[in-house]
Amino acid sequence: MKDTHDDRSFEQDVYDVVRAIPEGRVTSYGAIAKVLGAARASRRVGWVLNKSFGAQPPVPAYRVVNRLGMLTGAIHFPADQPMAAQLKAEGVVIENDTVVDFGARFWDPMTEL
DNA sequence: CATCTGACCTAGT
DNA sequence: AACTAGGCCAGAT
């Protein structure tokens, strides 16, 4: 018996947190990793999100940016649904691949969830 | 099969 | 305060 408990849980957990992000708000990989209890596993979060495109229900991965508010993951988004465009559609101002007023737009899953 | 890379972050020097 | 190194874990070469 293969116990795939950890990977499975982590994956589902990331999806759950990302789906909990309100419209017009953004969060960071580190914040997600931290709320999951793996503050240094932020890389894994990115890997999971990369797989999240085919997930059901859809995961708003475009609301996740790095700690500096930069859209580092934009390059991995499909051309039909650019990261910046979706954020702008929710009222988030993007300039030079960076979220403007990131401090106010930041949504901390650990504090607010 | 060994090595490196990658949607990053924290901690130590 | 700036820089280096380490961590996390799976996929790709």
Side-chain angles (χ1 to χ4, degrees), chain A residues 4-96:
Chain A
T4 55
H5 53 306
D6 276 321
D7 298 341
R8 190 64 151 210
S9 184
F10 191 83
E11 192 176 311
Q12 290 294 330
D13 218 348
V14 170
Y15 290 159
D16 190 39
V17 174
V18 174
R19 284 195 274 242
I21 303 172
E23 283 187 15
R25 289 295 187 86
V26 291
T27 191
S28 62
Y29 306 95
I32 295 170
K34 193 170 190 176
V35 79
L36 296 184
R40 299 174 188 164
S42 34
R43 272 179 142 171
R44 251 204 310 165
V45 177
W47 174 79
V48 171
L49 283 178
N50 211 353
K51 205 177 130 209
S52 72
F53 285 104
Q56 283 291 326
V59 179
Y62 58 87
R63 289 181 188 150
V64 185
V65 296
N66 74 348
R67 220 221 172 248
L68 302 173
M70 302 182 193
L71 281 59
T72 49
I75 58 179
H76 288 273
F77 271 76
D80 292 358
Q81 292 178 315
M83 194 174 184
Q86 294 194 68
L87 286 171
K88 283 182 180 177
E90 295 188 350
V92 180
V93 182
I94 307 297
E95 189 169 300
N96 202 6

